[in-house]
Amino acid sequence: MNLTQRRVPQVFGLGRSSSIRSFKSIDSSSSTHGIHVFQCPDAVGIVAKLSDCIASRGGNILGADVFVPENKNVFYSRSEFIFDPVKWPRLQMDEDFLRISKMFDATRSVVRVPKLDPKFKIAVLASKQEHCLIDLLHSWQDGRLPVDITRVISNHDRFPNTHVVRFLERNSIPYHYLGTSKENNREDEILDLVQNTDFLVLARYMQLLSGKFLQRYRKDIINIHHGLLPSFKGGHPSKQAFDAGVKLIGATSHFVTEELDAGPIIEQMVIIVERVSHRDNIQSFVQKSENLEKQCLAKAIKSYCELRVLPNEENRTVVF
């Protein structure tokens, strides 16, 4: 392997980081792509053991990213490699990485082989606004998102002949209308519908999920928010930003926690807006915002599925 560049993962704080790329040629006709992420207390020899594990089974590392936060005794890594599944069976791979996990007392060791492993199963929750929902559905249909959408749940009733409902019917994706009120947030019913999912996506779902729901679901939930958090939290963030006269339109994708719009950030995007004049209005502002929200949410989901997002302390993430 050759040390060809250094790249700092998207993470708040300082630390040492390295990126390794390998260009050894192997027979691509028999090779399969794998991903491994690792988190453990920092120690000498971790990279060597991980590399030897892959090489000893005839695999070849395509890229390895490492991050160790400054003054923190924790090691993060993400490796991409190719291997021959005949020489290195999937179950054997799990056993090999598990052995290293025990050796270094790892808190996280996840291996994924996209070609062999099932796609992540997700449910999408949405309200009346459809721009993020429609973009996710079309990205899923085009194969740009490595997920299976099991169902769409909404607190907004859509008529049978609408674009979204017709799309879902054509693709055999169930649609569940669960109207909410202050007295009944329908969380028990939502929980029953999403039990077999790997994570949830809130595509502009304008309802708060309670701490009780989060504790019972116990898996990750990805949300999209207009604006660069922590600014403009809560309802009507586009109007808040427009009224504040911002010159940058932003969007933030983050994990859902009990604190409103305060979960660990996965992805943020901005675009520069022309200076506000008498020709500008809230409609043009919202249109630009919605386009950015779609891109930001899709990128966050893709990064999550590619095992690029690791938790870093209570309210931060490492994004390789």
Side-chain angles (χ1 to χ4, degrees), residues 181-194:
S181 65
K182 291 182 179 180
E183 295 73 28
N184 188 0
N185 55 20
R186 312 295 291 272
E187 287 190 347
D188 288 339
E189 295 163 84
I190 295 174
L191 197 63
D192 288 339
L193 292 171
V194 302

Side-chain angles (χ1 to χ4, degrees), residues 49-111:
K49 287 292 184 182
L50 291 172
S51 301
D52 182 65
C53 173
I54 295 170
S56 66
R57 297 294 184 178
N60 183 47
I61 294 178
L62 300 178
D65 292 295
V66 171
F67 177 68
V68 178
E70 186 176 21
N71 300 322
K72 300 288 184 180
N73 184 38
V74 59
F75 171 95
Y76 300 92
S77 73
R78 178 182 182 276
S79 304
E80 292 192 40
F81 56 93
I82 51 177
F83 68 100
D84 185 341
V86 175
K87 297 179 180 178
W88 198 9
R90 185 68 181 81
L91 291 178
Q92 182 65 56
M93 180 183 294
D94 284 335
E95 292 178 8
D96 290 344
F97 282 119
L98 178 60
R99 184 169 58 254
I100 297 177
S101 176
K102 292 178 178 179
M103 184 183 305
F104 290 102
D105 196 22
T107 55
R108 181 179 301 260
S109 178
V110 182
V111 61

Side-chain angles (χ1 to χ4, degrees), residues 229-291:
L229 291 174
S231 300
F232 311 119
K233 294 183 180 181
H236 308 290
S238 294
K239 188 176 187 305
Q240 292 181 50
F242 179 78
D243 291 343
V246 302
K247 298 299 185 287
L248 290 173
I249 287 181
T252 302
S253 187
H254 64 97
F255 290 114
V256 174
T257 60
E258 291 190 45
E259 187 176 352
L260 177 64
D261 294 329
I265 293 170
I266 304 171
E267 184 62 55
Q268 289 188 304
M269 291 183 175
V270 296
I271 58 174
I272 299 175
V273 187
E274 307 91 11
R275 184 172 298 279
V276 175
S277 72
H278 63 280
R279 299 183 185 278
D280 293 295
N281 56 48
I282 186 65
Q283 287 78 22
S284 61
F285 188 92
V286 169
Q287 185 177 11
K288 293 175 182 178
S289 299
E290 290 180 349
N291 185 52

